[in-house]
Amino acid sequence: MCGIVGYIGMHKAADFLVDGLSKLEYRGYDSAGIAVLDKGKIRLDKCVGRLENLKRKLGGNMPEGTVGIGHTRWATHGRPSDLNAHPHVAGKFAVVHNGIIENYLKLKEELLAKGHKFISETDTEVVAHLLEDKYEGDFEEAVKQVLRVIRGSYSLAFMCEDEPDMIICTKKDNPLVIGLGEGENFIASDIPAIINETRRTFIMSDGEIATVTPDGVWVQDVNGVPISKKVFIVNWNAEAAEKGGYDHFMLKEINEQPKAIRDTMTGRINAEDQTIHFPELNWTEEEMAEINKIFIVACGTAYHAGIVGKYYLEQLARIPVEVDIASEFRYRSPLVDGNSLTIVISQSGETSDTLAALREAKRLGARTLAVTNVVGSSIAREADQVVYTYAGPEIAVASTKAYITQLLAMLMLSIYIGRLSDTIDKKLARYLVSCLLELPKQVAQTLENTKLIEAQTAHYAQCNDVFFLGRSLDYAVALEGALKLKEISYIHAEAYAAGELKHGTLALIVEGVPVIIIATQEDIYDKTVSNLQEVKAREAEVLAIGFEGDTSLVNYADQVIYIPKTDRYLAPLLTVVPLQLFAYYAALARGCDVDKPRNLAKSVTVE
Ligand code: AGP
């Protein structure tokens, strides 16, 4: 996610802007910039890469002005570059933006037709030109006009050369706070940027427009109705502030999953006709018809997302799929050819084995598609095509929000390909899309049970071995649950296809052995319950995960964690949440370093 800062007061704006951006570096970014109103003119300094590059570019020639905005960019539309870096300027206006403007292409066409010239590939530059286009002398009114036409998610801060004593900012679905000083005020997308200047803040809400001057902050809605804001005193320390008040990045990122899902769906789901589009792919039916096999290749959690993707693609798009661990794929001379599509999944887009597998697939003539969370990453650049997940920067080593958006991307892709190849029932496709639109709310509902899930799983923290069971999609999620527990709590955990247990591993199931069993797949539900009874008969301690309304699991399991009812295809995007929380609290109870587990790195860039 991008970082936004703004300053208006009696001091040099650039000093706060650069310092504030440095406090947001932890969020991850690929370019940085500031715009300062200097002697009535906007001075723009920005460049790709680290903040150091911007500081070097500014050198001793810091702008003098006392009004300014700044930005660290996490690329979504348009690769990392000097031109794509924010702030963006059009005429008298400068703007910084965090989020995604969903209808920017249509707005850009309209502005081009009016003679506007663009120099970047970003959706944000469109907002700057839109403001210039709407301006008729009233800055606040022009901002309101802009907000009436843009769609998507955003936190925005605007400057105008005609109004040197104000910055206007607003938000929808992205964070924005205003720091209240004495004779000066601060704007930021995140509290860490302002916490050293003031602890008195306005936490902005969706639809609020703030006019920020050195002497005060006025808040109104898009219709000009004044809004009175309560001062929120921030009592976090700087480190806690980086985690948004959560104790760890992992817990923060688990709780960001509803937003990550919404952002990854943005621009790809048409809620009116319940269809799915991938503007970035634009495959034709003929191109799709040439694909007779799909290989999915990844590592770790991304590999587990690939296993879920196999079920989706084979059942909805009716194309044979092989899923490989990247370090195996690259050396097994896979039978890949020009009629294969190889999908590589990677949060970081830099995992060495996955990158090597991508290159091997290309060498063998496959078409390649990357599903990744980092714009401009090596894998994104080398794949023929890219479907980005918009989970935002994932800091914790244990992948959570990236995984859930990978599942979402694979499900949307499978529906999209199924419709393209006419292999999916149109009614089913529309129904699944309607379920997807409910998903962010259902994940949020599941997260409301965090304390209950913590209580239900706390005693497992002292176990040495835990088994995760499931069938079909539930088995695929069991794999991820086992990895989560292992990698951050160091408890040995094993996932098993529930139907496979009796072929050996059942020998390990004795009294008191903890077994987590996921039971959401109705077509094989009775079989899964039989497996539950199988382990229960050997005195295992069983925690089941099932849908709300399932009244039978409680008769067999020692405990049940319920998730909101949804279609079986979407179950993995809900059942994984309790498993993430289980792993998190087990690691906490064992005093482990939750965000940086021993021996592990966030991105494994070596073989
Ligand atoms: C998952 O929690 C781990 N951090 C790890 O398995 C990770 O998924 C794997 O290294 C792949 O990383 P990537 O998605 O960045 O390629």
Side-chain angles (χ1 to χ4, degrees):
M1 250 161 311
C2 309
I4 286 177
V5 291
Y7 176 83
I8 189 162
M10 62 291 238
H11 299 301
K12 268 167 62 171
D15 293 337
F16 166 74
L17 297 178
V18 173
D19 180 60
L21 291 179
S22 70
K23 300 289 191 308
L24 300 179
E25 283 194 285
Y26 70 91
R27 298 159 63 104
Y29 66 99
D30 44 55
S31 57
I34 63 172
V36 174
L37 214 40
D38 216 352
K39 304 178 189 65
K41 286 291 174 203
I42 288 174
R43 177 180 148 180
L44 183 62
D45 295 279
K46 60 182 185 176
C47 59
V48 70
R50 310 305 295 166
L51 202 49
E52 278 317 305
N53 299 355
L54 177 64
K55 289 178 185 171
R56 206 173 304 119
K57 188 170 183 177
L58 287 165
N61 173 26
M62 295 282 269
E64 295 298 322
T66 62
V67 190
I69 53 179
H71 189 267
T72 46
R73 179 173 182 249
W74 169 269
T76 52
H77 293 78
R79 58 190 168 67
S81 69
D82 288 358
L83 286 179
N84 287 337
H86 300 204
H88 286 282
V89 171
K92 303 176 176 179
F93 302 94
V95 63
V96 289
H97 166 226
N98 181 10
I100 299 168
I101 303 299
E102 196 177 319
N103 59 336
Y104 83 100
L105 285 173
K106 176 173 164 295
L107 295 169
K108 186 167 185 175
E109 280 158 23
E110 291 166 3
L111 290 162
L112 284 166
K114 290 183 175 180
H116 288 259
K117 301 272 182 280
F118 291 86
I119 58 171
S120 85
E121 308 157 283
T122 67
D123 52 345
T124 307
E125 190 186 7
V126 172
V127 177
H129 283 272
L130 202 53
L131 187 55
E132 184 189 26
D133 186 63
K134 299 289 183 188
Y135 183 64
E136 293 176 352
D138 182 334
F139 184 20
E140 287 180 331
E141 183 49 35
V143 168
K144 292 174 188 170
Q145 294 297 332
V146 166
L147 299 182
R148 290 193 177 102
V149 296
I150 62 173
R151 281 212 325 273
S153 68
Y154 50 78
S155 40
L156 290 160
F158 305 96
M159 273 195 323
C160 172
E161 289 174 349
D162 292 351
E163 302 284 357
D165 292 329
M166 67 170 71
I167 297 173
I168 297 180
C169 58
T170 186
K171 70 159 308 256
K172 175 177 171 290
D173 295 338
N174 276 270
L176 193 66
V177 295
I178 295 173
L180 307 170
E182 300 297 326
E184 60 183 2
N185 287 305
F186 310 84
I187 295 163
S189 49
D190 218 348
I191 284 174
I194 56 174
I195 200 167
N196 291 342
E197 310 295 339
T198 176
R199 288 179 177 271
R200 299 176 62 251
T201 63
F202 284 160
I203 306 293
M204 296 291 282
S205 300
D206 283 3
E208 294 179 341
I209 304 165
T211 301
V212 186
T213 72
D215 307 317
V217 181
W218 284 268
V219 183
Q220 58 184 312
D221 69 13
V222 73
N223 300 314
V225 176
I227 296 169
S228 88
K229 295 290 290 178
K230 219 157 128 308
V231 176
F232 172 74
I233 306 295
V234 177
N235 55 17
W236 300 331
N237 62 34
E239 197 204 342
E242 280 189 2
K243 300 177 184 107
Y246 291 99
D247 291 337
H248 298 94
F249 281 112
M250 183 180 177
L251 190 58
K252 176 172 179 262
E253 288 154 10
I254 287 171
N255 282 278
E256 285 175 339
Q257 292 183 120
K259 179 176 181 328
I261 290 168
R262 268 198 307 273
D263 288 352
T264 301
M265 284 198 281
T266 296
R268 291 166 170 162
I269 284 191
N270 179 327
E272 279 76 47
D273 62 8
Q274 293 170 335
T275 53
I276 287 182
H277 307 274
F278 279 96
E280 64 269 49
L281 294 181
N282 282 330
W283 284 335
T284 62
E285 286 168 33
E286 295 69 29
E287 285 170 325
M288 210 60 242
E290 290 163 9
I291 301 294
N292 60 21
K293 184 156 191 179
I294 294 177
F295 291 83
I296 300 177
V297 188
C299 299
T301 287
Y303 167 70
H304 295 153
I307 293 178
V308 174
K310 169 185 169 74
Y311 284 101
Y312 290 158
L313 283 163
E314 289 193 338
Q315 293 184 20
L316 300 174
R318 311 304 296 160
I319 300 178
V321 178
E322 273 191 47
V323 189
D324 273 87
I325 290 172
S327 54
E328 291 297 308
F329 178 87
R330 60 186 293 197
Y331 296 115
R332 72 172 181 81
S333 308
L335 296 178
V336 170
D337 61 23
N339 293 106
S340 316
L341 170 65
T342 296
I343 301 174
V344 291
I345 305 175
S346 174
Q347 186 286 130
S348 63
E350 300 300 342
T351 298
S352 167
D353 283 324
T354 308
L355 180 57
L358 169 63
R359 289 170 177 164
E360 175 67 359
K362 289 183 75 170
R363 186 185 68 81
L364 295 170
R367 298 174 215 193
T368 58
L369 169 67
V371 174
T372 184
N373 194 42
V374 181
V375 175
S377 58
S378 304
I379 285 172
R381 286 198 309 274
E382 295 194 23
D384 298 327
Q385 294 182 290
V386 188
V387 164
Y388 284 114
T389 52
Y390 294 115
E394 191 174 65
I395 314 289
V397 166
S399 185
T400 51
K401 61 177 184 173
Y403 170 77
I404 212 165
T405 56
Q406 289 162 358
L407 298 188
L408 173 62
M410 294 310 292
L411 180 52
M412 291 198 292
L413 259 178
S414 302
I415 297 168
Y416 171 75
I417 295 172
R419 293 285 288 110
L420 207 55
S421 323
D422 199 18
T423 52
I424 187 172
D425 170 71
K426 291 184 182 57
K427 212 160 143 253
L428 172 61
R430 282 197 299 275
Y431 167 66
L432 291 176
V433 171
S434 67
C435 293
L436 283 172
L437 293 169
E438 289 302 305
L439 197 60
K441 191 171 63 190
Q442 292 179 315
V443 172
Q445 281 169 348
T446 308
L447 289 165
E448 284 165 13
N449 294 331
T450 295
K451 283 299 166 211
L452 174 60
I453 293 165
E454 179 186 7
Q456 286 179 286
T457 58
H459 64 289
Y460 289 120
Q462 307 321 321
C463 295
N464 297 315
D465 300 286
V466 179
F467 288 87
F468 290 76
L469 302 183
R471 286 174 176 254
S472 177
L473 285 168
D474 289 336
Y475 167 55
V477 176
L479 289 165
E480 176 57 12
L483 177 61
K484 284 280 109 25
L485 188 63
K486 273 186 286 194
E487 68 174 319
I488 63 170
S489 74
Y490 315 146
I491 294 172
H492 174 256
E494 207 169 334
Y496 241 80
E500 179 65 4
L501 209 53
K502 53 186 164 305
H503 299 288
T505 302
L506 194 57
L508 294 179
I509 306 297
V510 295
E511 185 180 350
V513 168
V515 173
I516 317 298
I517 190 160
I518 308 169
T520 66
Q521 301 300 298
E522 67 262 20
D523 53 336
I524 42 170
Y525 178 83
D526 294 344
K527 307 278 182 204
T528 305
V529 170
S530 305
N531 297 133
L532 195 167
Q533 291 170 308
E534 206 172 35
V535 296
K536 201 61 210 143
R538 281 136 184 105
E539 306 296 319
E541 182 185 342
V542 179
L543 167 68
I545 298 177
F547 284 132
E548 283 164 1
D550 177 331
T551 53
S552 65
L553 281 176
V554 71
N555 300 326
Y556 310 107
D558 297 288
Q559 293 190 91
V560 182
I561 293 177
Y562 293 101
I563 56 167
K565 176 72 177 149
T566 184
D567 185 85
R568 67 187 183 92
Y569 285 113
L570 281 78
L573 290 99
L574 286 168
T575 55
V576 74
V577 176
L579 301 182
Q580 294 167 343
L581 292 169
F582 171 15
Y584 172 79
Y585 286 109
L588 216 51
R590 293 166 71 97
C592 301
D593 183 343
V594 172
D595 285 334
K596 297 189 181 73
R598 67 188 180 203
N599 309 337
L600 302 181
K602 182 57 188 169
S603 176
V604 183
T605 53
V606 292
E607 191 173 349

